[in-house]
């Protein structure tokens, strides 16, 4: 998620984004891709834009939800599984 956000905002802000999102979603131990993917898009955008904002634009909120939906669909929401199942960079780029 930090790499996704790093495309448009400063790195320090981008990589603290997931922690900020976790706190705004009520805390806990980990972000849950299932919860983020299912979150109401307008509500999620509002959550991210609360001052100080986690992202630069609403598009980031949409991209985060799309990323989480992909993780849910292909990896049961487990982001670490992306790296466990790919032996090479080409494996990561291969269509799912």
């Amino acid at each position: 998620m930090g790499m996704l956000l790093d495309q448009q905002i400063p790195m320090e802000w981008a990589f603290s984004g997931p922690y900020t999102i976790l706190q705004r979603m009520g805390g806990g131990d980990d972000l849950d891709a299932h919860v983020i993917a299912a979150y109401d898009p307008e509500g999620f955008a509002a959550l991210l834009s609360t001052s100080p904002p986690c992202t630069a634009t609403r598009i980031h909120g949409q991209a985060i939800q799309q990323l989480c939906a992909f993780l849910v669909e292909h990896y049961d929401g487990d982001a670490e599984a992306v790296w466990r199942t790919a032996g090479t960079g080409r494996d990561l780029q291969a269509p799912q």
Side-chain angles (χ1 to χ4, degrees):
M1 195 179 296
M3 293 299 289
L4 175 71
L5 296 174
D6 187 40
Q7 301 301 309
Q8 297 293 323
I9 58 178
M11 185 186 320
E12 295 80 10
W13 190 18
F15 282 88
S16 67
Y19 175 78
T20 303
I21 294 168
L22 177 65
Q23 296 307 305
R24 290 182 184 176
M25 292 182 79
D29 295 327
D30 293 307
L31 284 171
D32 186 330
H34 294 92
V35 173
I36 293 172
Y39 213 98
D40 169 65
E42 289 300 315
F44 192 67
L47 181 93
L48 298 182
S49 62
T50 301
S51 186
C54 300
T55 63
T57 67
R58 286 174 121 28
I59 300 298
H60 282 122
Q62 292 170 348
I64 290 168
Q65 285 191 290
Q66 289 171 346
L67 171 64
C68 290
F70 180 87
L71 291 172
V72 167
E73 181 179 343
H74 296 284
Y75 298 97
D76 193 30
D78 181 8
E80 291 178 16
V82 173
W83 307 108
R84 287 193 303 269
T85 60
T88 68
R90 284 190 192 270
D91 292 344
L92 286 174
Q93 293 177 331
Q96 296 292 314

